[in-house]
Amino acid sequence: MATPAQLAANQANAQRSTGPRSVEGKSASRFNALKHGIDAASTVIPGEDPAAYQALADAYDAQYQPANPTTRFLLDSMIRADWHKQRLQTLESGLIHKLLAETPGASLIDVMLNDSPAGKLLARIQRQIAAHERAWFRAHREIVRLAAQPLDTPDDEALPERFEIAERTQSPAPKSAKSWPPIDEKTGKPCYFVG
């Protein structure tokens, strides 16, 4: 148990160690715990070139030319997925080289099947690369779908009317699937076995 003097000293120290107070100090300490950037909330992390990110974003903007907030959101999703995938591919490559150098004579499959923390990290990185690819293709597919449906007016004011029209012209909802298990018409009991 702490003595009253220790408690007072702890409280006095806690008042002095409240972290950075200036804007510069806060931005510098923001990445103190950053180890690899896999889960980084920031788009560009230290060590990455903000100009390269901006060039990527400008290239996407030039190609797709977003005209409304929905297209802008989808395009931002594509840019973010592309950028994060590039980051992860660099990390994956470095990790593979390191793992193979640490275990001479081992193949990549040996390293992947090894139950080491680095092998688990490599598998996680590869899953995240695949997730970013799926996100990119989903956003791209939606942009292409939206581009194929021209609006009568260029502004977003027509969107609610357009969606109401789309709802009225849709085909009727499909009939619900039969319940499982199938019911025997003669007995009214579930048929568990087919045969």
Side-chain angles (χ1 to χ4, degrees):
M1 190 78 145
T3 66
Q6 288 173 328
L7 289 174
N10 286 344
Q11 290 174 350
N13 286 336
Q15 293 302 317
R16 284 185 291 225
S17 57
T18 58
R21 295 182 183 177
S22 68
V23 175
E24 295 83 15
K26 289 179 183 180
S27 73
S29 67
R30 181 174 160 196
F31 295 106
N32 281 351
L34 183 68
K35 301 273 187 281
H36 43 64
I38 290 178
D39 300 317
S42 178
T43 305
V44 179
I45 61 174
E48 293 178 340
D49 184 12
Y53 177 78
Q54 191 59 48
L56 179 72
D58 291 343
Y60 272 96
D61 284 342
Q63 180 177 353
Y64 291 96
Q65 300 174 356
N68 56 43
T70 303
T71 310
R72 175 80 259 166
F73 171 79
L74 294 168
L75 191 58
D76 287 343
S77 298
M78 289 172 60
I79 294 167
R80 190 174 42 257
D82 190 347
W83 184 256
H84 285 259
K85 181 183 172 212
Q86 289 178 33
R87 174 189 299 158
L88 289 169
Q89 285 174 325
T90 303
L91 191 62
E92 175 191 35
S93 175
L95 187 57
I96 288 172
H97 287 296
K98 183 176 180 174
L99 285 170
L100 290 175
E102 288 177 353
T103 53
S107 67
L108 182 58
I109 192 70
D110 294 334
V111 172
M112 290 291 296
L113 292 176
N114 187 353
D115 203 22
S116 71
K120 290 178 182 178
L121 179 60
L122 182 59
R124 179 177 175 211
I125 290 169
Q126 291 171 337
R127 284 192 305 271
Q128 288 189 344
I129 288 171
H132 288 301
E133 287 176 351
R134 286 190 303 272
W136 189 95
F137 280 108
R138 275 193 307 267
H140 181 263
R141 185 174 46 245
E142 190 63 18
I143 283 179
V144 169
R145 187 186 71 76
L146 290 174
Q149 298 176 353
L151 289 174
D152 295 338
T153 58
D155 55 341
D156 287 337
E157 294 175 3
L159 285 176
E161 296 173 15
R162 179 178 177 194
F163 288 139
E164 289 174 16
I165 293 169
E167 289 174 6
R168 286 182 292 203
T169 59
Q170 286 180 349
S171 61
K175 295 180 181 178
S176 62
K178 293 183 179 180
S179 63
W180 183 258
I183 306 296
D184 184 1
E185 294 176 6
K186 293 179 183 174
T187 63
K189 294 182 181 178
C191 299
Y192 291 103
F193 302 102
V194 177

